[in-house]
Amino acid sequence: MDGTSVTRAVHRSRVGWMDTDAAGHHHNTAVVRFVEEAEATLMRERGITGYFGAAPRVRYEVDFASPLWFGQEVTTTLVLERIGTSSFTFRFEVWGEETDRHARRLAASGRYVTAHVPRGADRSAPWPVPWVTALKGDAHTA
């Protein structure tokens, strides 16, 4: 992935049976799950707790490039490219790894924005300073 980024995470997984549809390849919603797993990896690696349940997606876009198949290994790269006062902008790539029938290829890429809405609040608020500090820390950059 090109461009400037704040920090990133890489998550490896596999296409499960539940991720496929009647055509035999991944259902589009599987990409969202792979990306959310990468997001959880990022927050866990940075020691951030309380993020999930306080960071709804407010924008999501994805370009689908090629299918993923049951059992295929998947590598998801998530980049936190912008930290705003009360929003984060992420971009991602989901890659299907090489199999005996398919070369490694990009399956999907996109971008999304989360907003900080503290539990019990009905509007966005600034991110907690410890979260921003953890996400900007050079010592954790992958």
Side-chain angles (χ1 to χ4, degrees):
M1 297 181 83
D2 298 331
T4 305
S5 66
V6 174
T7 192
R8 66 186 219 126
V10 176
H11 182 79
R12 290 177 178 77
S13 55
R14 196 172 284 279
V15 178
W17 183 247
M18 68 178 274
D19 298 321
T20 62
D21 64 15
H25 59 74
H26 80 280
H27 190 276
N28 290 345
T29 58
V31 167
V32 175
R33 187 175 64 77
F34 297 140
V35 172
E36 288 181 348
E37 287 175 358
E39 186 178 2
T41 296
L42 175 64
M43 297 308 163
R44 188 172 39 256
E45 288 175 348
R46 297 306 175 110
I48 295 172
T49 59
Y51 174 81
F52 291 98
R57 280 98 182 99
V58 295
R59 179 179 171 84
Y60 206 101
E61 63 185 62
V62 61
D63 295 313
F64 296 99
S66 63
L68 297 166
W69 303 96
F70 171 68
Q72 186 173 16
E73 291 183 32
V74 176
T75 302
T76 304
T77 302
L78 179 72
V79 175
L80 173 56
E81 66 178 7
R82 181 180 174 278
I83 297 176
T85 302
S86 62
S87 67
F88 290 155
T89 302
F90 296 91
R91 63 187 158 94
F92 62 87
E93 291 182 347
V94 177
W95 288 82
E97 296 302 333
E98 182 177 0
T99 70
D100 57 349
R101 297 176 55 205
H102 304 285
R104 182 181 197 261
R105 57 188 169 186
L106 180 67
S109 61
R111 175 174 275 121
Y112 66 100
V113 177
T114 63
H116 180 232
V117 181
R119 291 177 194 262
D122 61 359
R123 66 183 67 191
S124 65
W127 293 109
V129 172
W131 294 6
V132 172
T133 301
L135 289 166
K136 285 184 175 181
D138 292 334
H140 294 88
T141 301

